[in-house]
Amino acid sequence: MKWYEQPLHTLSHAQWEALCDGCGQCCLNQLQDEEDNLYSTDVACRLLDTDTACCTDYAHRSERVPACVTLTPDNLDDVYFMPASCAYRLRAEGQPLPEWHPLRHEGSKEPMKKAGYHVAGHCVSETKFKGDLEDRIVTWPLS
């Protein structure tokens, strides 16, 4: 059994952090309708580097962006907004990592990019966006 197949509560901090595929989808603004359905947009948090899908201040992200949630094994059940492809969500649901996940490819993000799950180059920063979020709803993977 590979370490990422173990129960989430058994992972070390380093393993927990490595489980993230770095897709950036959780850093995109979402909309919620009256029936509590969530819709992802291609408008990213101001801290996300839209060219790399990396947070520009990961260590202080929750302080600088109060709505940013730091995932832990203890709060994972409460973060219903995580993308369906999220490794944390999948593992919490007892599902395997997707075939394109970087951990299945020696850290390479190329399979994830080819599968359409990586937001780099496919989003705009909320600091540059002007308009209605409703006009920017997207469905991942991008085709």
Side-chain angles (χ1 to χ4, degrees):
M1 175 181 290
K2 299 193 186 295
W3 68 262
Y4 54 79
E5 296 171 336
Q6 297 175 7
L8 292 176
H9 69 276
T10 67
L11 301 182
S12 68
H13 178 73
Q15 289 171 327
W16 176 266
E17 290 293 320
L19 192 58
C20 177
D21 58 36
C23 71
Q25 289 184 54
C26 63
C27 300
L28 299 174
N29 285 275
Q30 295 183 338
L31 298 170
Q32 189 170 14
D33 67 16
E34 302 81 31
E35 288 88 35
D36 292 332
N37 296 308
L38 287 175
Y39 301 92
S40 182
T41 73
D42 64 355
V43 179
C45 168
R46 63 187 170 93
L47 295 182
L48 190 73
D49 179 325
T50 58
D51 292 326
T52 64
C54 293
C55 183
T56 59
D57 193 6
Y58 186 76
H60 303 104
R61 67 195 184 283
S62 296
E63 296 156 20
R64 293 189 55 197
V65 180
C68 183
V69 176
T70 300
L71 289 180
T72 69
D74 295 330
N75 70 0
L76 195 53
D77 291 339
D78 299 328
V79 285
Y80 58 90
F81 59 86
M82 293 305 290
S85 61
C86 174
Y88 297 108
R89 181 174 177 172
L90 290 169
R91 293 301 304 125
E93 294 171 352
Q95 300 297 316
L97 295 182
E99 288 303 316
W100 48 258
H101 194 285
L103 288 173
R104 295 185 178 275
H105 299 276
E106 298 166 358
S108 174
K109 292 186 179 184
E110 286 309 309
M112 176 176 52
K113 291 175 182 178
K114 287 180 183 174
Y117 287 94
H118 200 254
V119 306
H122 299 289
C123 59
V124 62
S125 175
E126 64 189 7
T127 62
K128 296 179 181 176
F129 175 70
K130 304 290 184 248
D132 294 322
L133 283 177
E134 290 84 4
D135 296 332
R136 302 302 296 237
I137 293 173
V138 295
T139 303
W140 302 93
L142 293 179
S143 50

